[in-house]
Amino acid sequence: MMSKTKSIRASKTSEATKKIKLYISILMDVIGMIPTGFPPLALLWAPLSGFILSRMYKGEIGKIAGIFDFAEELIPGINFIPTFTLTWFYVYKIKGEK
């Protein structure tokens, strides 16, 4: 019975971890806006940010968000979308993941 309780507790994300992920998400979105001033930088940033986003949020949500972020960073003019922060809000506020 105790091992079941421990595994349930281990799967929850602490409030501190959620806050850290939010701060990292905001930072990554700000960094993602830098290539707007120098578009060739987007070729380096797009795959890196897509990879980071897919690792921050595991599973299908992370994969879909990573692919969307990769495409969004490459398409000129739309890299102002805060994909990291929107993913955080989806995971923790809309979907209500614990």
Side-chain angles (χ1 to χ4, degrees):
M1 177 106 172
M2 283 188 86
S3 64
K4 219 179 210 184
T5 306
K6 286 182 181 179
S7 67
I8 291 171
R9 286 184 186 154
S11 67
K12 286 186 177 182
T13 305
S14 72
E15 290 300 314
T17 302
K18 289 179 187 178
K19 280 185 179 180
I20 290 169
K21 276 190 171 184
L22 177 59
Y23 298 145
I24 291 171
S25 294
I26 293 169
L27 176 65
M28 298 303 281
D29 286 330
V30 169
I31 292 170
M33 291 180 193
I34 293 171
T36 303
F38 189 64
L41 192 58
L43 295 174
L44 298 172
W45 177 247
L48 180 61
S49 68
F51 176 78
I52 292 169
L53 186 56
S54 70
R55 294 297 177 234
M56 279 180 70
Y57 302 98
K58 303 288 184 193
E60 189 175 337
I61 293 171
K63 289 177 188 175
I64 292 169
I67 292 168
F68 179 80
D69 184 62
F70 173 76
E72 178 253 328
E73 292 294 340
L74 282 179
I75 298 171
I78 66 164
N79 64 346
F80 63 88
I81 299 171
T83 311
F84 279 85
T85 306
L86 290 174
T87 303
W88 185 92
F89 273 103
Y90 175 75
V91 169
Y92 296 115
K93 297 299 180 184
I94 295 172
K95 189 176 173 201
E97 194 171 291
K98 301 288 181 204

